[in-house]
Amino acid sequence: VERALDDGLKGPIFLVRELLGVFLRRAQGVLSLVCFSERRDDESGPAMDLAVHEGWQGFVAGVLDAYAEKSVFVNGIKAAGVASEEAAAFVERSLEEKARKVTGRWFTIQPRGGLLGRR
């Protein structure tokens, strides 16, 4: 449990805190925080994996709220229920097209089909 939380949640949180500190001192920077899971949000999985994933999403949401009005571009990129190759292409497109122009937003990709389709 401790290792899963340290590697999957605490480490990335401390890294983001340090990066934000540097970017804020420079009054510039782009930080895109990625939440990726091959499982859809409504699928179950191992309890620890779900806890870390949901904890990370909550942390990202808090960062977006706290830094939406600053000189640093901070966005969240969420990919759930898609293959890693598709998620990687979506992250790259989001960085090129949107993440350096707007701040405080979630960019989301979902599996094709169904009622929701792709957003």
Coordinates of all heavy atoms in Angstrom, one line a residue, residues 18-33 67-75 95 98-104:
E18 N 6.8 21.1 -7.1 CA 8.1 21.8 -7.4 C 8.1 22.5 -8.7 O 8.6 23.6 -8.9 CB 9.3 20.7 -7.4 CG 9.5 20.2 -6.0 CD 9.9 21.2 -5.0 OE1 10.7 22.1 -5.3 OE2 9.4 21.2 -3.8
L19 N 7.5 21.8 -9.8 CA 7.4 22.5 -11.1 C 6.6 23.8 -11.0 O 7.0 24.8 -11.6 CB 6.8 21.5 -12.1 CG 7.7 20.4 -12.5 CD1 6.9 19.4 -13.4 CD2 8.9 20.9 -13.3
L20 N 5.5 23.7 -10.3 CA 4.6 24.9 -10.2 C 5.4 26.0 -9.5 O 5.3 27.2 -9.9 CB 3.4 24.6 -9.4 CG 2.3 23.9 -10.2 CD1 1.1 23.5 -9.3 CD2 1.8 24.8 -11.3
G21 N 6.2 25.7 -8.5 CA 7.0 26.7 -7.8 C 8.0 27.4 -8.8 O 8.1 28.6 -8.8
V22 N 8.6 26.6 -9.6 CA 9.6 27.2 -10.6 C 8.8 28.0 -11.6 O 9.2 29.1 -11.9 CB 10.4 26.0 -11.3 CG1 11.2 26.6 -12.5 CG2 11.3 25.3 -10.3
F23 N 7.7 27.5 -12.2 CA 7.0 28.2 -13.2 C 6.4 29.5 -12.6 O 6.4 30.6 -13.3 CB 5.9 27.4 -13.7 CG 6.3 26.2 -14.6 CD1 5.4 25.2 -14.9 CD2 7.6 26.1 -15.1 CE1 5.8 24.1 -15.7 CE2 8.0 25.0 -15.8 CZ 7.1 24.0 -16.1
L24 N 5.9 29.5 -11.4 CA 5.4 30.7 -10.8 C 6.4 31.8 -10.5 O 6.2 33.0 -10.7 CB 4.6 30.4 -9.5 CG 3.3 29.6 -9.8 CD1 2.7 29.1 -8.4 CD2 2.3 30.5 -10.5
R25 N 7.6 31.3 -10.1 CA 8.7 32.3 -9.9 C 9.1 32.9 -11.2 O 9.5 34.1 -11.3 CB 9.9 31.6 -9.3 CG 9.8 31.4 -7.8 CD 11.0 31.0 -7.1 NE 11.6 29.7 -7.6 CZ 11.2 28.5 -7.2 NH1 10.2 28.4 -6.3 NH2 11.8 27.4 -7.6
R26 N 9.1 32.2 -12.3 CA 9.4 32.7 -13.6 C 8.2 33.4 -14.3 O 8.4 34.1 -15.3 CB 9.8 31.6 -14.6 CG 11.1 30.9 -14.2 CD 11.5 29.9 -15.1 NE 12.7 29.2 -14.8 CZ 13.3 28.2 -15.4 NH1 12.6 27.7 -16.5 NH2 14.4 27.7 -15.0
A27 N 7.1 33.3 -13.7 CA 5.8 33.9 -14.2 C 5.5 33.4 -15.7 O 5.0 34.1 -16.5 CB 5.9 35.4 -14.2
Q28 N 5.9 32.1 -15.9 CA 5.6 31.5 -17.2 C 5.8 30.0 -17.1 O 6.5 29.5 -16.2 CB 6.4 32.0 -18.3 CG 7.9 31.7 -18.2 CD 8.7 32.2 -19.3 OE1 8.3 33.1 -20.0 NE2 9.9 31.7 -19.5
G29 N 5.1 29.3 -18.0 CA 5.2 27.8 -18.0 C 3.9 27.2 -18.5 O 2.9 27.8 -18.5
V30 N 4.1 25.9 -18.9 CA 3.0 25.1 -19.4 C 3.1 23.8 -18.7 O 4.1 23.1 -18.7 CB 3.0 24.9 -20.9 CG1 1.8 24.0 -21.3 CG2 2.9 26.2 -21.6
L31 N 2.0 23.4 -18.0 CA 2.0 22.2 -17.2 C 0.7 21.4 -17.6 O -0.4 22.0 -17.4 CB 2.0 22.4 -15.7 CG 2.1 21.2 -14.8 CD1 3.3 20.4 -15.1 CD2 2.1 21.6 -13.4
S32 N 0.8 20.3 -18.2 CA -0.4 19.5 -18.6 C -0.3 18.2 -17.8 O 0.6 17.4 -17.9 CB -0.4 19.2 -20.1 OG -0.5 20.4 -20.8
L33 N -1.3 18.0 -17.0 CA -1.3 16.8 -16.1 C -2.2 15.7 -16.7 O -3.4 16.0 -16.9 CB -1.8 17.2 -14.7 CG -1.0 18.4 -14.1 CD1 -1.7 18.9 -12.8 CD2 0.4 17.9 -13.7
Y67 N -4.9 27.3 -9.9 CA -4.0 28.0 -10.8 C -4.6 28.4 -12.1 O -3.9 28.8 -13.0 CB -2.8 27.1 -11.1 CG -2.0 26.9 -9.9 CD1 -2.2 25.7 -9.1 CD2 -1.0 27.8 -9.5 CE1 -1.5 25.5 -7.9 CE2 -0.3 27.6 -8.3 CZ -0.5 26.5 -7.5 OH 0.2 26.3 -6.4
A68 N -6.0 28.4 -12.2 CA -6.6 28.8 -13.4 C -6.4 30.3 -13.8 O -6.4 30.6 -15.0 CB -8.1 28.6 -13.3
E69 N -6.1 31.1 -12.9 CA -6.0 32.6 -13.2 C -4.5 33.1 -13.1 O -4.3 34.2 -13.1 CB -6.8 33.4 -12.1 CG -8.3 33.0 -12.1 CD -9.0 33.5 -13.3 OE1 -8.7 34.5 -13.9 OE2 -10.0 32.8 -13.7
K70 N -3.6 32.2 -13.1 CA -2.2 32.5 -13.0 C -1.5 32.7 -14.3 O -2.1 32.5 -15.4 CB -1.4 31.5 -12.2 CG -2.1 31.2 -10.8 CD -1.9 32.3 -9.9 CE -2.5 32.0 -8.5 NZ -2.6 33.0 -7.6
S71 N -0.3 33.1 -14.3 CA 0.5 33.3 -15.5 C 1.0 31.9 -16.1 O 1.6 31.9 -17.2 CB 1.7 34.2 -15.2 OG 2.5 33.6 -14.2
V72 N 0.8 30.9 -15.4 CA 1.2 29.5 -15.9 C 0.0 28.8 -16.5 O -1.1 28.9 -16.0 CB 1.7 28.7 -14.7 CG1 2.1 27.3 -15.1 CG2 2.9 29.4 -14.1
F73 N 0.2 28.2 -17.6 CA -0.9 27.4 -18.3 C -0.9 26.0 -17.7 O 0.1 25.3 -17.8 CB -0.6 27.3 -19.8 CG -0.8 28.6 -20.5 CD1 0.2 29.5 -20.7 CD2 -2.0 28.9 -21.0 CE1 0.1 30.7 -21.4 CE2 -2.2 30.1 -21.7 CZ -1.2 31.0 -21.9
V74 N -2.0 25.7 -17.0 CA -2.1 24.4 -16.3 C -3.4 23.8 -16.8 O -4.5 24.4 -16.7 CB -2.2 24.5 -14.8 CG1 -2.3 23.2 -14.1 CG2 -0.9 25.2 -14.3
N75 N -3.3 22.6 -17.4 CA -4.5 21.9 -17.9 C -4.4 20.4 -17.5 O -3.4 19.9 -17.2 CB -4.6 22.0 -19.4 CG -4.9 23.4 -19.8 OD1 -6.0 24.0 -19.5 ND2 -4.0 24.1 -20.5
L95 N -1.7 19.1 -26.7 CA -0.6 20.0 -26.4 C -0.3 21.0 -27.5 O -0.1 22.2 -27.3 CB 0.7 19.2 -26.1 CG 0.7 18.4 -24.8 CD1 1.9 17.5 -24.7 CD2 0.6 19.4 -23.6
K98 N -4.2 23.2 -28.1 CA -4.9 23.8 -27.1 C -4.2 24.2 -25.8 O -4.4 25.3 -25.3 CB -6.1 22.9 -26.6 CG -7.0 22.5 -27.8 CD -8.0 21.5 -27.3 CE -8.7 20.8 -28.5 NZ -9.5 19.7 -28.1
A99 N -3.4 23.3 -25.3 CA -2.9 23.5 -23.9 C -2.0 24.7 -23.7 O -1.8 25.2 -22.6 CB -2.1 22.2 -23.5
R100 N -1.4 25.3 -24.8 CA -0.6 26.4 -24.7 C -1.3 27.7 -24.9 O -0.7 28.8 -24.9 CB 0.6 26.3 -25.6 CG 1.6 25.2 -25.2 CD 2.7 25.1 -26.3 NE 3.7 24.1 -25.8 CZ 3.6 22.8 -26.1 NH1 2.7 22.3 -26.8 NH2 4.6 22.0 -25.6
K101 N -2.7 27.6 -25.1 CA -3.5 28.8 -25.4 C -4.5 29.1 -24.3 O -4.9 30.2 -24.2 CB -4.2 28.6 -26.7 CG -3.2 28.4 -27.9 CD -3.9 28.1 -29.2 CE -2.9 27.8 -30.3 NZ -3.5 27.2 -31.4
V102 N -5.0 28.0 -23.6 CA -6.0 28.2 -22.6 C -5.5 27.6 -21.3 O -4.5 26.7 -21.3 CB -7.3 27.6 -23.0 CG1 -7.9 28.3 -24.2 CG2 -7.2 26.1 -23.2
T103 N -6.0 27.9 -20.2 CA -5.6 27.4 -18.9 C -6.8 27.0 -18.1 O -7.9 27.5 -18.2 CB -4.7 28.3 -18.1 OG1 -4.1 27.7 -17.0 CG2 -5.4 29.6 -17.7
G104 N -6.6 26.0 -17.2 CA -7.6 25.6 -16.2 C -8.7 24.7 -16.8 O -9.8 24.7 -16.3

